[in-house]
Amino acid sequence: MTYAPACGQNQPFAADGTAAHQLGTTTMAFDTIIAGGEVITADGRKKADVGIKDGKVTAVKKGLAGGNGAAVIDAKGKYVIPGVLDVHVHLELPFCGTTSSDDFNTGTRAAARGGVTTVIDFAIPYGEDSLEDAYKKWRAKADPKTCIDYCFHMAITKWDRHGPEMEKMVEMGCPTFKEFMIYESEGWQSDDRAIFNALEKCKQLGGMLLMHAESSRVLDELIARNHTPEKMKKYGAQLHGMTRPNYIEAEAIQRAVKWAEVTGGRLYIVHMSTAEGADIIRDAQARGVDVYAETCAQYLVLDDALFKGEDGHLYACCPQIKKKSDQQRLWKGLKRGEVCVVSTDTCSFTREQKAMWNGDWTKIPMGLPGLETLLPIVYTHGVLAERMSLRQMVEKLCTNPAKLMGLYPQKGTIAKGSDADITIIDPKKKLKVDPATMETNTDWSPYAGWKLAGFAEKTLSRGRVIVDDYKFCGENGWGKWLPRKKAGKL
Ligand code: DUC
Ligand code: ZN
Ligand code: ZN
């Protein structure tokens, strides 16, 4: 018997997620078999079937037989890849005087449609909040709504208050921390003392420090020099790029790398956007510094000419999109390895929210939607454009993020014992990006009108089909909190 489970049908699950065979008396070897596809992992590619039981992968080999009611998904001619991990998202984030428009529901529906099966958000303490307060607030926002598995990095915004809590947070399942070198006005900024101390502590605890690296004092000076009515009239949103030359990121990365080098603490540079940054990371890794770098899809395919357009302000994110030469260097870094993860920094705002800028670039809510288009962009502009192999794509989107964030091999691969988080893509089928038909809660997309291959034809989360025929069919609250023990290494 061969059939593909359709949206809301043939799902071997009861409403509470219990597998059907646990409810009835029939014993099945598998709940679901993904048959006849090409399975791609970071180790290579092979034609194989994938057998799934109780939400776990239990076999990866040719010729798995169905029977006893196992659902069979026909994957002939398709790529079967591990579900993508987007380890850098901001859902429902109070930021820039508003709140990002994708919440844990719309954001994770969009994620599923883009083949993403795990997200890691950032729990950020506000006011006098402790890390534990932030953790509880973020759990309260996420738990009822999230459609795929998830966890948080803990943002340290006041070293003296939050540093002593780091050990407890690791015990509570959060071994990755974040510091921001900018955002003084949001109350999030960390100075060198906080960075040095947090890296030392990460070393003791088996944790990792994620760093938003931009050099704040010089950045503030450049903003102040340009913040005049004449300049704003003349340059509009271009000032966003003009006030953040590449050295703003490069100097900050250099400094953070130095503190990692002398403390031995593991450092992960988030959303690296510059060629200079990639050079610094490569040199540091060659010296043996325990440092990793991610970039985001937008830095690989968009460039700062966009700020000149009428809608230029929509593209403001932080750090801002740079030049084509930076894109080329980041692609090269991905191929060679000094850039090891692609994420999105999803922080969506609607046109109405972006309009808050009213001609002043310092008031633009900064961020872009991205979860729904991450895999299609990396597949289309990376693999199909021959900038990386399929195997490398899986490494950067699935395996490396799972390893570094302490989720491997539960996530990030297709192997016996791993969660059955699986994305099936048709190698050739292209869809046109159209905000009107997307799950993401924005009325625009940086990629509107682009034709992209690599959208999820099907997405499975712990064995359950949550996207079928490119449409979301999961449910709110299906996503599980993922406690972790330690950060990992590559
Ligand atoms: N950058 C953004 O563009 N948005 C959210 C936070 C950040 O660092
Ligand atoms: Zn950031
Ligand atoms: Zn971010």
Side-chain angles (χ1 to χ4, degrees), residues 88 90 93 95 178 180 183 188 212 271 299 316-319 345-347 349 366-368:
H88 189 156
H90 304 278
L93 177 72
F95 183 51
K178 165 88 175 274
F180 299 90
Y183 297 138
W188 297 351
H212 179 131
H271 51 46
Y299 304 119
C317 56
C318 180
D345 198 9
T346 289
C347 190
F349 297 103
M366 288 184 291
L368 305 176

Side-chain angles (χ1 to χ4, degrees), residues 346-369:
T346 289
C347 190
S348 315
F349 297 103
T350 61
R351 279 179 180 273
E352 194 186 342
Q353 289 176 298
K354 289 274 185 181
M356 285 165 58
W357 86 303
N358 211 11
D360 178 347
W361 90 98
T362 63
K363 299 200 165 62
I364 312 175
M366 288 184 291
L368 305 176

Side-chain angles (χ1 to χ4, degrees), residues 68-86:
N68 277 345
V72 179
I73 296 172
D74 181 2
K76 258 186 236 89
K78 311 282 163 65
Y79 295 140
V80 178
I81 69 169
V84 171
L85 289 87
D86 188 347

Side-chain angles (χ1 to χ4, degrees), residues 139-345:
R139 288 288 307 255
K141 288 197 272 191
D143 288 1
K145 294 194 212 162
T146 308
C147 306
I148 56 173
D149 293 353
Y150 62 99
C151 50
F152 311 137
H153 311 290
M154 300 306 307
I156 294 166
T157 56
K158 294 186 172 66
W159 170 255
D160 291 325
R161 181 150 173 70
H162 302 142
E165 284 186 273
M166 286 174 73
E167 187 165 0
K168 180 159 185 217
M169 294 320 301
V170 174
E171 282 161 15
M172 287 168 65
C174 303
T176 48
F177 298 89
K178 165 88 175 274
E179 288 186 338
F180 299 90
M181 293 168 90
I182 61 163
Y183 297 138
E184 188 173 24
S185 60
E186 300 278 350
W188 297 351
Q189 189 175 32
S190 286
D191 61 10
D192 286 346
R193 171 176 169 263
I195 296 167
F196 184 89
N197 278 318
L199 282 163
E200 257 182 5
K201 201 86 185 165
C202 280
K203 186 170 168 63
Q204 284 164 26
L205 298 173
M208 180 163 77
L209 185 63
L210 282 67
M211 186 64 62
H212 179 131
E214 288 187 290
S215 202
S216 74
R217 297 290 168 238
V218 176
L219 171 60
D220 288 346
E221 175 64 15
L222 297 181
I223 290 174
R225 284 184 195 177
N226 285 282
H227 203 227
T228 65
E230 301 73 39
K231 291 228 169 135
M232 289 198 276
K233 190 153 185 275
K234 187 163 177 198
Y235 296 111
Q238 288 176 76
L239 284 164
H240 182 53
M242 289 161 65
T243 50
R244 287 179 136 89
N246 283 21
Y247 58 75
I248 293 291
E249 180 176 272
E251 187 279 332
I253 292 179
Q254 185 79 68
R255 191 154 31 99
V257 163
K258 177 50 88 183
W259 301 143
E261 188 163 15
V262 298
T263 58
R266 188 167 303 155
L267 175 68
Y268 177 99
I269 303 295
V270 296
H271 51 46
M272 191 170 70
S273 62
T274 56
E276 289 85 340
D279 291 343
I280 294 166
I281 297 296
R282 188 167 169 82
D283 289 350
Q285 288 173 341
R287 296 199 300 277
V289 183
D290 199 0
V291 60
Y292 299 95
E294 78 173 11
T295 190
C296 302
Q298 58 269 29
Y299 304 119
L300 294 169
V301 294
L302 302 178
D303 69 79
D304 62 2
L306 286 165
F307 295 127
K308 290 191 185 140
E310 202 188 319
D311 274 349
H313 64 290
L314 295 179
Y315 297 86
C317 56
C318 180
Q320 89 283 12
I321 45 181
K322 303 285 195 307
K323 309 231 175 289
K324 283 199 188 305
S325 50
D326 296 295
Q327 291 175 12
Q328 280 160 13
R329 178 66 184 85
L330 293 168
W331 281 114
K332 184 171 158 193
L334 282 166
K335 198 167 170 82
R336 289 200 307 207
E338 63 265 28
V339 187
C340 61
V341 171
V342 188
S343 70
T344 63
D345 198 9

Side-chain angles (χ1 to χ4, degrees), residues 8-72:
Q9 293 168 12
N10 302 335
Q11 303 264 7
F13 291 90
D16 67 352
T18 314
H21 69 90
Q22 294 170 327
L23 299 169
T25 49
T26 332
T27 309
M28 294 191 286
F30 305 112
D31 305 320
T32 305
I33 297 169
I34 301 172
E38 187 170 356
V39 176
I40 321 287
T41 65
D43 298 327
R45 38 198 293 189
K46 61 177 179 187
K47 289 255 160 69
D49 302 336
V50 181
I52 297 169
K53 184 157 177 171
D54 294 346
K56 296 273 182 196
V57 173
T58 53
V60 187
K61 58 180 175 185
K62 273 193 180 156
L64 297 180
N68 277 345
V72 179

